[in-house]
Amino acid sequence: EIRFCDWSSDVCSSDLVIMSNHQHTVWTAGKANLCDMLRDFKTFASKAILASLEVEPERRRDWLLCR
C-alpha cells in the first residue's frame, strides 16, 4: 500500500491502484499546483515500488527491474 501526503500543500492520495501499465489515484487537494504534485508523487511512488520489489516476492522482478 502506498500512501502519499504532502501536508505543506494539503495533498493526499486516498485511493491508489497500480497496474502493470497504468494507475488510478483519487486525490484530495487544497492549494496544490497539479504539476508539482504529480512530479512529487511520481518520484515518491517510483522509489516505493522499487524498494518493495527488492524485498517482496514477485515472479516478474527481473523483468520489472530490467535485469
Side-chain angles (χ1 to χ4, degrees), residues 4-32:
F4 175 80
C5 289
D6 180 354
W7 298 112
S8 64
S9 61
D10 194 25
V11 174
C12 285
S13 66
S14 54
D15 291 301
L16 174 66
V17 178
I18 299 176
M19 292 164 226
S20 61
N21 62 350
H22 69 284
Q23 72 176 28
H24 294 272
T25 310
V26 176
W27 295 98
T28 303
K31 58 185 178 191

Side-chain angles (χ1 to χ4, degrees), residues 42-56:
K42 287 178 180 180
T43 300
F44 169 81
S46 64
K47 289 178 182 179
I49 290 167
L50 288 173
S52 70
L53 283 173
E54 293 295 333
V55 296
E56 298 292 328

